[in-house]
Amino acid sequence: MPAEISTLQKPRKLPGVRELLTDAVEAVGGTERDGQVHMAEAVARAIRTGEHLAVQAGTGTGKSLAYLVPAIRHAVEGHTTVVVSTATIALQNQLVDRDLPRLAKALKKPLGREPTFAILKGRRNYLCMHRVHSGAPEEPEDSGLFDAFTVSRIGREVKRLHEWSSETETGDRTELVPGVSEQAWRQVSVSARECLGAARCPVGDDCFAEKARADAGRVDVIVTNHALLAIDALQEQRVLPEHDLVVIDEAHELVDRVTSAATAELTASAVSAATRRCGRIIDADTSDRLLEAGEGLALVLDDLPAGRLDTLPQALGGAVTVVRDAAHACLTALGGERKEDVEEATARKLARSAVEEIHDTAVRLLDAFDADQANRPDVVWISNDTYSSSPRPPSLHVAPLAVGGLLRERVFARSTTVLTSATLALGGRFDTLARQWGLPPEPTPAPADDGTATDKPAPADDADDGLRWSGLDVGSPFDYGRNGILYVAKHLPPPGRDGLGDATLDEIAALIDAAGGRTLGLFSSMRAAKRAAEELRERLPYDILCQGDDSTSTLVSQFADEPRTCLFGTLSLWQGVDVPGPSLQLVIVDRLPFPRPDDPVASARQRAIEARGGNGFLTVAATHAALLLAQGAGRLHRSSSDRGVVAVLDSRLATARYGGFLRASIPPFWPTQDPAVARDALTRLDAAAPGRASTSTALR
């Protein structure tokens, strides 16, 4: 028998996950941790059995390697592709620019070849060469709001994009530095609905989006984001290449990102833009009918207050119905694809895409009120930003009340899924998020696993029972109890609607003074953050930066570089700050981060759960607060040497019945309600910081 045939019949046996992990950790100069090993073995078991897995892995665990190593091994061994989805661009870039290149080199020898990877984004993220060459016009929405300077700026940006198009090899928007405005980018990009398709497009062979997708179909690991994962689930036509394993990192944000991707908007300006798209393609009477429908919608929306709609006002229902019917008439007039030149085909495709979006959104808005409140699939609301710094006319929005069904049918039923984050076990349990994801509330009892099980269980008759999952908390290498204090200011009055009280401001000032600056202030609103910054700049000798003073990235860099500085801000800082070392030794939370009472999606979800007999507050509001609180508290420890205090100035964390649930979601810091204990610990840390006379680093 020829040697080459013998080799094919006896494929090379790959090393086990534990051995590969050891090689990988050594190659990247890291330290193997028990939690990392435990997680990697659990991921490998999930791949073998097909059972979904939720893993809570604290900061410093090395979770990226823990899921990448078994995932890559599976891809190489099975000649298949695995998908890794993230919520943030920062983690996406970390994986593609740092973790995967190093890991690929480390595993090349033991796996017999170098693993491959690629990043895949939505079509809108790539330059469309047809739009560049054809110069297809697109008027910006709300064009009447743009002054001459803004229009001139957009023109300069579009010219720069045309020049860049002859230089770029990927067409990826993120590679353009500095970037351009959204209005300019839309002139040279298309959505999936607007795309002619590679077969019909005159420059289809040079399409950046098609090339990225083709490249992704040939690699071992595709890195994408939750939004594209949601789009892949929402559309009948698959966006991602075939895969049998999905790793969802930053899984605590999955529900919000999928909800956002499934949210639609209807505005009078969008109707007007769709009418212009129709242009000379259809008769003027039909297009004018759509234009008049949009004008009627604008008049009705101007007379209605912003907020959630529990019932559909008669006038609004009539206006949306007229829009729906006029859009349907335009679609009929546009017809389907036909033999025509590329320019006409492009105009027809762009017009059909815009009108279809108007029509489908109008249908969804009208259908949202058919069922009783407990069983409605969607929530509808009106937003009105006419008095903001960037005014926009009123608009209608529709969003899903739940996305668990979508995830269950289009993600979990299709592929083995690993969900991981530093924050998944809320209140010490995984069931809260499992319900939101569409998994059964209770995990599957774990059978004895000797590492040899390979058979996946046969699908069950019941759709829900067929989803098997397990939860695992691998902990963190950080000693939270020794290195951090959770201080709850029980003596302060509960926060009111009037913002920060004087007692709270005094408490913040005393804590910052004890810490010598070094403070990240996480506030429930921008109004509170700005008031605290303005007030304390007058009282304290430390620089206090406030979100909005400059770009967030610039402020975070300045905060990290100048240890005796403070940074105040809101939502993005709760999850987006990674500042290890003495620049951050105090995290202040002004109040528990419950969703706003007027948040249309959260309030509608809470009400729907209560209508079905559940605890809406605990399921929605408390879960939201627990996630953010855990993320915010996690800003304190970004390395094993970090020390400090998390100060929660909302007494409800100590006094309310739900306080135990929230506290169980926070890393296990040493607790105190004594302000003197917190201030003394901060004073000692300040004295021991680099550049100061060292005394003791002990917190207590």
Side-chain angles (χ1 to χ4, degrees):
M1 181 182 293
E4 61 270 19
I5 297 178
S6 176
T7 302
L8 288 174
Q9 289 181 343
K10 295 180 180 180
R12 182 172 182 267
K13 183 174 177 58
L14 300 182
V17 166
R18 180 65 185 271
E19 183 180 342
L20 290 173
L21 181 63
T22 300
D23 290 342
V25 172
E26 289 178 356
V28 301
T31 302
E32 195 171 87
R33 300 181 175 93
D34 290 341
Q36 185 182 54
V37 173
H38 197 184
M39 177 176 173
E41 291 174 341
V43 172
R45 179 185 178 277
I47 293 171
R48 290 196 307 272
T49 64
E51 183 177 284
H52 306 301
L53 174 66
V55 186
Q56 177 163 287
T59 306
T61 302
K63 62 181 170 64
S64 296
L65 285 185
Y67 64 68
L68 285 174
V69 167
I72 290 174
R73 184 188 186 279
H74 170 66
V76 171
E77 184 178 50
H79 306 287
T80 186
T81 296
V82 299
V83 172
V84 177
S85 178
T86 77
T88 62
I89 293 175
L91 179 55
Q92 202 172 72
N93 291 340
Q94 176 189 315
L95 291 172
V96 173
D97 297 337
R98 191 185 73 181
D99 293 349
L100 280 166
R102 297 162 70 189
L103 191 54
K105 289 183 174 61
L107 298 182
K108 179 179 180 180
K109 183 176 180 179
L111 291 180
R113 68 170 175 84
E114 187 167 321
T116 56
F117 57 91
I119 190 168
L120 185 61
K121 304 175 183 179
R123 191 172 290 272
R124 269 286 185 201
N125 292 278
Y126 299 98
L127 197 71
C128 172
M129 292 306 294
H130 178 49
R131 291 297 298 273
V132 171
H133 292 320
S134 67
E138 177 170 317
E139 297 182 41
E141 285 191 15
D142 307 328
S143 55
L145 299 178
F146 289 90
D147 57 26
F149 176 79
T150 302
V151 173
S152 175
R153 175 178 58 79
I154 294 173
R156 290 193 299 272
E157 289 179 336
V158 171
K159 180 181 178 182
R160 182 167 155 246
L161 285 167
H162 279 250
E163 294 170 350
W164 178 66
S165 69
S166 62
E167 303 169 2
T168 178
E169 295 183 0
T170 66
D172 189 335
R173 182 178 181 178
T174 58
E175 293 186 5
L176 181 66
V177 180
V180 296
S181 65
E182 181 64 22
Q183 291 94 340
W185 183 256
R186 289 182 70 88
Q187 308 297 306
V188 294
S189 66
V190 295
S191 66
R193 267 184 167 178
E194 296 168 335
C195 178
L196 279 175
R200 299 191 68 196
C201 181
V203 288
D205 292 340
D206 298 320
C207 177
F208 290 120
E210 290 294 327
K211 182 179 183 299
R213 191 165 186 270
D215 290 345
R218 294 190 292 265
V219 300
D220 299 309
V221 180
I222 295 172
V223 179
T224 188
N225 54 53
H226 296 351
L228 193 61
L229 188 70
I231 292 170
D232 185 64
L234 286 163
Q235 296 182 355
E236 291 301 323
Q237 186 175 358
R238 301 297 298 270
V239 177
L240 296 170
E242 285 296 321
H243 57 275
D244 62 358
L245 174 65
V246 178
V247 179
I248 300 176
D249 204 338
E250 300 177 309
H252 63 280
E253 292 200 49
L254 179 63
V255 170
D256 284 346
R257 298 302 175 107
V258 174
T259 299
S260 179
T263 297
E265 180 184 23
L266 183 63
T267 66
S269 58
V271 176
S272 176
T275 305
R276 292 194 298 272
R277 288 280 196 208
C278 292
R280 300 175 183 174
I281 304 174
I282 63 176
D283 63 276
D285 289 343
T286 305
S287 61
D288 286 348
R289 180 181 165 192
L290 181 59
L291 182 64
E292 291 168 1
E295 292 171 348
L297 177 66
L299 291 173
V300 173
L301 287 176
D302 282 339
D303 290 336
L304 292 173
R308 190 185 74 215
L309 295 176
D310 295 333
T311 59
L312 183 61
Q314 184 175 357
L316 182 60
V320 175
T321 300
V322 172
V323 169
R324 179 199 64 190
D325 294 344
H328 185 269
C330 287
L331 289 173
T332 302
L334 284 167
E337 293 185 1
R338 61 191 69 183
K339 291 183 178 180
E340 53 191 347
D341 62 37
V342 172
E343 185 176 344
E344 291 174 337
T346 301
R348 189 175 301 277
K349 186 75 172 182
L350 292 173
R352 171 167 281 279
S353 169
V355 178
E356 276 182 345
E357 189 168 348
I358 296 296
H359 175 267
D360 294 351
T361 302
V363 170
R364 186 176 167 192
L365 284 162
L366 294 169
D367 290 347
F369 298 91
D370 286 349
D372 61 87
Q373 292 185 353
N375 297 301
R376 287 179 179 174
D378 289 315
V379 55
V380 177
W381 73 96
I382 298 173
S383 66
N384 191 332
D385 300 323
T386 53
Y387 299 104
S388 69
S389 57
S390 301
R392 290 188 64 204
S395 57
L396 267 173
H397 304 261
V398 56
L401 269 175
V403 297
L406 173 70
L407 292 172
R408 181 172 61 247
E409 295 173 12
R410 300 296 185 92
V411 177
F412 298 123
R414 291 173 171 175
S415 308
T416 302
T417 306
V418 175
L419 305 109
T420 185
S421 168
T423 311
L424 293 182
L426 302 181
R429 294 171 57 89
F430 290 94
D431 59 329
T432 301
L433 287 181
R435 286 188 178 92
Q436 294 185 9
W437 295 330
L439 293 173
E442 295 298 328
T444 309
D449 182 13
D450 59 4
T452 61
T454 57
D455 293 336
K456 298 182 179 181
D461 293 334
D462 186 288
D464 286 346
D465 291 342
L467 293 179
R468 301 169 61 86
W469 70 280
S470 59
L472 173 67
D473 184 354
V474 299
S476 169
F478 299 162
D479 190 344
Y480 289 108
R482 290 180 60 86
N483 297 341
I485 291 175
L486 173 63
Y487 162 53
V488 181
K490 185 179 179 181
H491 63 282
L492 290 177
R497 294 183 178 180
D498 298 331
L500 293 174
D502 291 339
T504 301
L505 284 169
D506 291 342
E507 188 82 20
I508 295 173
L511 288 167
I512 293 176
D513 196 38
R518 314 178 193 279
T519 301
L520 176 65
L522 303 177
F523 292 86
S524 56
S525 69
M526 186 55 70
R527 176 186 172 193
K530 288 182 176 179
R531 188 194 169 198
E534 292 169 0
E535 180 86 16
L536 297 177
R537 282 167 181 158
E538 301 292 326
R539 299 167 59 173
L540 296 171
Y542 311 110
D543 288 337
I544 298 179
L545 312 174
C546 189
Q547 198 172 7
D549 293 345
D550 205 329
S551 70
T552 299
S553 59
T554 298
L555 293 173
V556 171
S557 296
Q558 186 177 345
F559 173 60
D561 293 340
E562 302 171 10
R564 301 182 72 77
T565 300
C566 303
L567 174 59
F568 290 177
T570 55
L571 188 59
S572 62
L573 298 188
W574 287 73
Q575 304 182 77
V577 175
D578 189 358
V579 179
S583 290
L584 175 49
Q585 295 183 337
L586 171 62
V587 174
I588 291 177
V589 175
D590 73 323
R591 63 189 300 162
L592 297 177
F594 293 115
R596 290 167 53 97
D598 59 355
D599 181 296
V601 178
S603 61
R605 285 175 172 170
Q606 186 169 328
R607 184 191 57 184
I609 290 168
E610 291 167 352
R612 296 193 294 268
N615 187 327
F617 172 79
L618 192 61
T619 304
V620 178
T623 296
H624 179 276
L627 276 172
L628 270 182
L629 195 60
Q631 288 287 312
R635 300 309 96 197
L636 182 66
H637 279 73
R638 311 311 296 172
S639 72
S640 58
S641 60
D642 287 343
R643 307 284 189 275
V645 173
V646 174
V648 180
L649 308 185
D650 190 331
S651 57
R652 293 175 296 178
L653 187 60
T655 60
R657 286 184 297 174
Y658 52 77
F661 171 75
L662 299 182
R663 292 194 301 273
S665 306
I666 302 173
F669 300 113
W670 185 78
T672 184
Q673 296 174 7
D674 187 340
V677 170
R679 291 195 298 267
D680 289 348
L682 290 167
T683 301
R684 290 194 296 274
L685 285 174
D686 181 41
R692 302 289 300 268
S694 179
T695 55
S696 170
T697 58
L699 284 180
R700 44 187 180 84

